[in-house]
Amino acid sequence: MAIYKQLQDQIKQLQNEAEELRKNELSNAISQIKMTMAEYGITLADLGFTNKKKTGRVRAPLAPKYRNPASGETWSGRGKAPKWIDPKNKDKYLIK
C-alpha cells in the first residue's frame, strides 16, 4: 500500500506543477498576443469579437381575421386558435 500512496502523492505533485506551468505559458501567450495586436494595430473588432447584437427583422402585427361577437376579441388566424373559435365553422367569425 505504501507504493500506491506514494504514487498518488506524485500524481498530485505533478498535477500542481502542470497547472503552474500552464498558468505561466498562458500569461506569456496573452502578453505575446497583446504585443502583436499593438504592433499591427489589430482590434477585437478586426478579429470578429464585436458587441453588436444581431438585429432581426421586426414583423408588423397582422390584421385580425376573426372576431368573437360576444366579447370582441380578435385572432389573426396564426398560432394556436383561441377557445372561443369553432374549429369546424370559422366562417361565422370572419371579419368582413
Side-chain angles (χ1 to χ4, degrees):
M1 260 322 185
I3 294 174
Y4 176 76
K5 175 92 168 111
Q6 290 171 351
L7 289 176
Q8 289 296 323
D9 290 340
Q10 286 178 356
I11 289 171
K12 286 181 185 178
Q13 182 182 4
L14 288 173
Q15 285 176 336
N16 290 338
E17 288 178 28
E19 185 61 29
E20 286 299 317
L21 286 173
R22 182 187 175 282
K23 286 179 184 178
N24 289 338
E25 288 179 8
L26 186 62
S27 65
N28 290 340
I30 290 172
S31 63
Q32 187 177 14
I33 291 169
K34 285 181 179 179
M35 285 185 353
T36 305
M37 287 178 71
E39 182 179 342
Y40 291 99
I42 299 171
T43 64
L44 290 176
D46 294 335
L47 298 176
F49 298 105
T50 60
N51 289 336
K52 293 181 183 178
K53 294 181 181 177
K54 292 184 178 181
T55 56
R57 274 188 10 201
V58 178
R59 294 184 188 184
L62 293 174
K65 190 173 180 182
Y66 302 98
R67 181 182 315 275
N68 182 354
S71 67
E73 292 177 278
T74 60
W75 179 51
S76 67
R78 292 205 180 161
K80 186 176 178 183
K83 292 183 181 181
W84 52 263
I85 199 159
D86 181 11
K88 294 177 185 171
N89 189 6
K90 293 181 185 174
D91 294 338
K92 66 180 182 179
Y93 297 104
L94 269 172
I95 298 174
K96 297 177 185 179

